[in-house]
Amino acid sequence: MRKTEVYQVRLDSQEKKQAFAVFKQLGITPAQAVRLFFKQVVLTKSIPFAIENQNINMEQLLKLRKSKQEKVATSATNPDDEHAALFEELNALLSETEKN
């Protein structure tokens, strides 16, 4: 049997209720939905859906992505560390746009 791990996530309570209702309609549990998401990330090596937010400056986002990809390609450091840094910067960018 494969080893499993627990991973906790903080969610907005309203979004959680809405998402759980959709999972119920689909006949899957929230845990199954999360596992499906993770499986697709592994298979596609990407987020398995388009991420769109009208408040994000797409040009700035593309420059950030290209910059991070170049750093990963030329860096001797762990690519996972670079990807984590990219997600932190994207999160900061999203937070900044939500404030405006």
Side-chain angles (χ1 to χ4, degrees):
M1 186 170 168
R2 294 180 118 176
K3 181 181 174 186
T4 63
E5 295 185 20
V6 173
Y7 184 77
Q8 293 182 338
V9 178
R10 290 203 173 273
L11 303 169
D12 174 82
S13 61
Q14 189 62 28
E15 286 178 338
K16 177 186 168 192
K17 287 177 188 176
Q18 291 171 344
F20 279 36
V22 172
F23 298 149
K24 186 174 183 176
Q25 288 177 337
L26 295 173
I28 62 174
T29 66
Q32 289 169 321
V34 171
R35 284 193 295 273
L36 285 169
F37 171 77
F38 273 72
K39 186 68 171 176
Q40 286 300 303
V41 167
V42 170
L43 290 172
T44 64
K45 295 184 176 28
S46 66
I47 302 297
F49 48 82
I51 301 174
E52 297 180 18
N53 183 330
Q54 298 302 320
N55 296 326
I56 295 175
N57 179 332
M58 291 308 291
E59 184 177 323
Q60 183 181 5
L61 183 60
L62 292 172
K63 284 180 184 177
L64 176 64
R65 181 183 295 165
K66 184 177 179 182
S67 165
K68 286 297 176 184
Q69 287 173 341
E70 289 170 355
K71 285 181 183 179
V72 168
T74 60
S75 174
T77 62
N78 184 349
D80 289 338
D81 293 340
E82 294 295 332
H83 291 131
L86 174 61
F87 281 112
E88 286 178 25
E89 289 186 41
L90 288 172
N91 204 15
L93 181 62
L94 285 169
S95 296
E96 182 180 307
T97 58
E98 288 175 356
K99 290 177 186 174
N100 294 334

